[in-house]
Amino acid sequence: MNLPWDGVEEALGTSLPEDYKKLAEAFGRGEFSEFMRVLSVDDTGQFDLVHIWKAYLGDSPEDGPDPALKPYQMYRSDRRGLIPWAFGEMECSYFWLASAEEDPASWPIVTQGNPYPLQQVRMSTSEFIFRVLTDPKFEPFSIAHLIPEPDFFPMD
C-alpha cells in the first residue's frame, strides 16, 4: 500500500523516518497485540498522524514546554519538539523528538505511560515496536510477558 507521505510531510514541515513509513505501509491501519495503535494516514482522522499532531498542537503553548509533556514542547517546523506516532493501552503515548534540521532516522523516541514518566529511547520506530511486543527485558515498555505471540489486527 502506498500512502501519500508528501502531503503528511508538507503539513508537518519535515520528513518522517523511513522505517516508520515502511511499517505503516506494510501493516496499514490496525493494532499490534491489542496494545499499540500506530498512526499513519487515515481519512477518518481517528489514527491520522497529522490530525492527532494538530490536536496536540492546538492544546500546546506557542512558547515553552507543554505542561502535560514537560520538559518537551510540541514540534513546530522552526524548532525541535514532539510528534506523536502511536498510542497504547495503559495511557501510553509514543512520540519522536523531531527537528526539521536533523535526519529523521536519528530522532529519539519519547515515551509517556502509566506508571512511568516521560523518557527517551534511542532506536528506530520499528525496533521499538518489536521490542515492546517481544522482549520481556525491555522494561518498562515490554508487554511480552502478557502476550505469548505478537499479532496484528487490521482495522479496515
Side-chain angles (χ1 to χ4, degrees), residues 25-36:
E25 289 182 357
F27 285 94
R29 193 172 71 170
E31 186 173 66
F32 288 96
S33 297
E34 297 182 42
F35 176 76
M36 183 183 288

Side-chain angles (χ1 to χ4, degrees), residues 13-61:
T14 187
S15 297
L16 292 170
E18 288 298 319
D19 79 300
Y20 156 78
K21 292 190 288 189
K22 288 177 184 175
L23 180 113
E25 289 182 357
F27 285 94
R29 193 172 71 170
E31 186 173 66
F32 288 96
S33 297
E34 297 182 42
F35 176 76
M36 183 183 288
R37 293 179 182 162
V38 177
L39 305 175
S40 69
V41 179
D42 178 11
D43 293 337
T44 71
Q46 189 175 9
F47 300 108
D48 185 70
L49 188 142
V50 172
H51 179 80
I52 303 294
W53 168 70
K54 284 182 178 180
Y56 269 104
L57 201 57
D59 293 336
S60 183

Side-chain angles (χ1 to χ4, degrees), residues 73-89:
Q73 59 189 346
M74 290 309 296
Y75 170 81
R76 288 177 169 79
S77 61
D78 62 340
R79 64 175 172 239
R80 194 173 202 217
L82 300 178
I83 298 174
W85 60 267
F87 295 101
E89 297 298 319

Side-chain angles (χ1 to χ4, degrees), residues 77-139:
S77 61
D78 62 340
R79 64 175 172 239
R80 194 173 202 217
L82 300 178
I83 298 174
W85 60 267
F87 295 101
E89 297 298 319
M90 302 182 298
E91 301 174 22
C92 297
S93 300
Y94 307 100
F95 304 89
W96 294 294
L97 183 53
S99 169
E101 306 300 316
E102 298 171 20
D103 177 0
S106 72
W107 294 346
I109 292 171
V110 175
T111 67
Q112 178 183 42
N114 184 8
Y116 58 85
L118 285 160
Q119 49 190 302
Q120 282 190 40
V121 180
R122 290 210 169 262
M123 64 183 60
S124 71
T125 307
S126 52
E127 180 183 358
F128 182 84
I129 293 169
F130 176 77
R131 292 196 57 201
V132 165
L133 300 175
T134 65
D135 183 354
K137 295 178 181 169
F138 190 51
E139 293 298 339

